[in-house]
Amino acid sequence: MTVLRSLTAADAPAVRRVYGGAAATFLGRSAMTAQEAEEYVARVRGWAGADPVEQYVLGVDVAGDLVGIVKLAHRPDGHGRVRYALREKRWGRGYATRAVEELVTFAFTTVGLDSLGARHHPGNPASGRVLEKAGFTRVGMVNGMIEYRLLEAVPGAGGGPRRGGGPPARGRRGGGGGVCGD
């Protein structure tokens, strides 16, 4: 079972494993060091206590094993950015899809966002499949990354999130989807 949960200080070694190997390559960064992982977890725990929360960072836990990280950046305009990274040895098992689906539900029901964006590295098509399974629609290329969009369900329209929504807003910083975006 895949569960999204808050990070604890004890998660730093697992976070380091998430941000290493091929995941680091797709993120365009070097592998995370032990010290960077500890500092990152400390920052994330601080962000979780902010009011209002601008970025949710949650661990992807599978049977007590932290296998990934999902992020939801919350913008005041009702738009959010989804990002995720999974430990390379856990790719291809459906964990990312389940985690992103849970994050989408959280974004629209708990946080109250109207739309979500995500993007991934063109060399990582599996991340595009994860986003599409979670309801996102590909809308094009932006700054060398493949961009996706998902709109909240329209009340009374009978269904879950609406796909598409036209081109992504220009000038937004950050974001990313798939194994991308830190």
Side-chain angles (χ1 to χ4, degrees):
M1 183 160 126
T2 305
V3 176
L4 300 185
R5 64 167 176 81
S6 298
L7 295 180
T8 69
D11 288 324
V15 168
R16 181 179 182 211
R17 288 189 299 273
V18 168
Y19 289 105
T25 301
F26 286 122
L27 290 168
R29 59 167 290 156
S30 59
M32 189 176 274
T33 67
Q35 180 176 343
E36 288 172 330
E38 289 172 8
E39 292 169 353
Y40 177 75
V41 170
R43 275 194 315 273
V44 165
R45 292 172 50 109
W47 297 337
D51 185 21
V53 174
E54 293 182 15
Q55 178 168 257
Y56 297 89
V57 180
L58 302 167
V60 179
D61 189 298
V62 177
D65 182 19
L66 187 84
V67 300
I69 302 290
V70 292
K71 300 179 182 183
L72 175 63
H74 177 209
R75 309 275 197 260
D77 63 358
H79 181 74
R81 297 294 297 179
V82 170
R83 298 180 266 179
Y84 73 88
L86 223 60
R87 195 166 66 222
E88 185 177 4
K89 291 183 179 183
R90 296 302 200 138
W91 292 359
R93 299 182 189 188
Y95 301 139
T97 299
R98 287 191 292 278
V100 171
E101 288 171 343
E102 285 186 42
L103 191 65
V104 165
T105 299
F106 175 75
F108 290 139
T109 61
T110 303
V111 180
L113 297 177
D114 300 320
S115 64
L116 296 172
R119 62 184 178 185
H120 72 85
H121 189 280
N124 188 5
S127 284
R129 289 190 295 275
V130 165
L131 294 169
E132 289 171 354
K133 287 177 190 177
F136 286 80
T137 299
R138 181 179 170 161
V139 294
M141 293 285 287
V142 176
N143 298 325
M145 302 293 275
I146 301 173
E147 184 78 24
Y148 291 77
R149 186 90 163 168
L150 179 62
L151 302 178
E152 183 181 21
V154 176
R162 294 182 293 136
R163 293 175 178 247
R170 297 277 177 200
R172 293 194 194 277
R173 185 177 173 270
V179 181
C180 177
D182 281 3

